Amino acid sequence: MNQEFENEKFDEWFEDAFYEKTDEINEQLSREILISMVGDVNSGKSSTINRLMDEDLASVGAQPGETVHIQKYVYKENIIFVDTPGLDDVVEENSEVTKKYYEQSDVVLFFLNAAGTVLSENELKNFKQIEKITKDIIIVLNKIDAADDIPNLVKYIQDHTNYGYPVVPISSRTGENISMLQAKLLDVLEKKSKDILMAQNFKDKSSVANKWILAAGASAAAVGASPIPGSDFIPLTSIQVGLMIKLSTLYDKPVSKENAKELLIATVVGNIGKTIFRQLVKIIPAAGSVVGASVAGATTIALGYAVKYMHENEIELKAEHLKTVYEMFLKKEKSNPSI
């Protein structure tokens, strides 16, 4: 460990950041997520949540709701999907119960069938009723594998919903664009500090990790500091420590305070060499455009991808493994998306 960092000030910075981020994430994991789904019976709601969670949840997790028209799917106690009939139910009591679910929901997934009549008059009426209750809506255009001219269908939906909501074209049958739906869900849940809980239970953790790493790199680059102690070092420490803990939570492999500190010091000191970080950014998709010439951004992204790689390959998070992992990255082809 570099002697330059053997001081009480650095220990204080690191300790504060580690416990602050750990507490934030633990608080997130204790919350409940409620996701309402609305759409025709053939719109693929059940198959979509099965794809998202990598489990046959819609077949085995159903629980009776308040009416025969509402079905609840409970995943690990605190993630609840509710299949609702919409607000145009002929039974007024059912519509009132459905309305309460929309009011309480973190996200409403509004399903449309790309192979059917997309956004029919009745669907549009129902949509406009729902958006009076909540703006946290994601429009899911499912079954794109059975339809043509998807870009025009997406534009048609956007035109008729005033471009106010994300439209995600997917195939729950083939899995196409499921990672895109994940990303949009996390964008909404992040505003409510519930994204980490959801991400931890997604099937595709790799794309989530990539999203977080690039976002942390951009934040570090915005700090504008080189990775050395100074006025900008405290926020940089917080960003990098937070990223390590988030990634470790995502893969359900907690990082110890001691190992996190070693990894941070090895990265900040740059004893592996600043050049290697700049080289790494060149081979990580989208990283260069995110961090530009920022050393802080580059080191943050390199650290993030190293932590991700170690988790995915059952390597203990220790500073002594960093150099080997970085050198392995540099041997990969520039176009290799698997980093």
Side-chain angles (χ1 to χ4, degrees), residues 52-250:
L52 279 172
M53 312 313 290
D54 193 26
E55 189 169 319
D56 199 10
L57 179 64
S59 295
V60 301
Q63 296 183 2
E66 282 81 352
T67 78
V68 295
H69 297 286
I70 293 175
Q71 202 71 253
K72 294 174 70 175
Y73 304 99
V74 181
Y75 185 79
K76 295 186 178 179
E77 297 184 359
N78 54 356
I79 299 178
I80 302 170
F81 294 89
V82 181
D83 187 355
T84 72
L87 292 172
D88 55 348
D89 196 291
V90 292
V91 181
E92 185 175 346
E93 180 184 350
N94 293 350
S95 292
E96 285 303 310
V97 172
T98 300
K99 181 180 177 182
K100 289 180 181 178
Y101 272 113
Y102 294 153
E103 290 172 340
Q104 298 167 4
S105 292
D106 295 295
V107 188
V108 173
L109 299 180
F110 192 90
F111 281 80
L112 298 172
N113 182 357
T117 303
V118 176
L119 204 61
S120 66
E121 182 179 344
N122 190 57
E123 286 174 327
L124 184 57
K125 176 186 174 184
N126 200 19
F127 180 86
K128 289 186 178 298
Q129 288 177 310
I130 294 171
E131 72 171 344
K132 291 177 183 178
I133 301 170
T134 178
K135 301 300 181 184
D136 294 319
I137 304 171
I138 298 173
I139 301 171
V140 183
L141 180 63
N142 197 9
K143 302 191 177 183
I144 61 173
D145 57 300
D148 298 317
D149 203 5
I150 302 304
N152 268 339
L153 287 179
V154 170
K155 185 177 185 303
Y156 177 83
I157 296 167
Q158 291 173 327
D159 286 343
H160 287 78
T161 56
N162 298 316
Y163 289 78
Y165 307 91
V167 180
V168 186
I170 69 164
S171 170
S172 58
R173 186 182 71 84
T174 67
E176 184 177 357
N177 288 347
I178 290 296
S179 61
M180 184 189 301
L181 178 57
Q182 286 187 174
K184 295 300 181 184
L185 263 171
L186 293 184
D187 286 343
V188 176
L189 292 173
E190 184 179 9
K191 294 182 293 185
K192 305 182 178 192
S193 297
K194 295 186 177 183
D195 57 315
I196 297 176
L197 170 60
M198 194 71 192
Q200 187 184 44
N201 291 284
F202 274 153
K203 173 184 178 181
D204 180 11
K205 290 180 169 53
S206 182
S207 63
V208 175
N210 292 347
K211 174 183 170 72
W212 286 352
I213 292 166
L214 292 176
S219 296
V223 168
S226 296
I228 56 174
S231 61
D232 295 325
F233 188 64
I234 296 176
L236 180 59
T237 300
S238 181
I239 291 167
Q240 294 182 339
V241 171
L243 177 60
M244 282 190 282
I245 298 174
K246 281 180 70 174
L247 291 173
S248 297
T249 303
L250 176 67

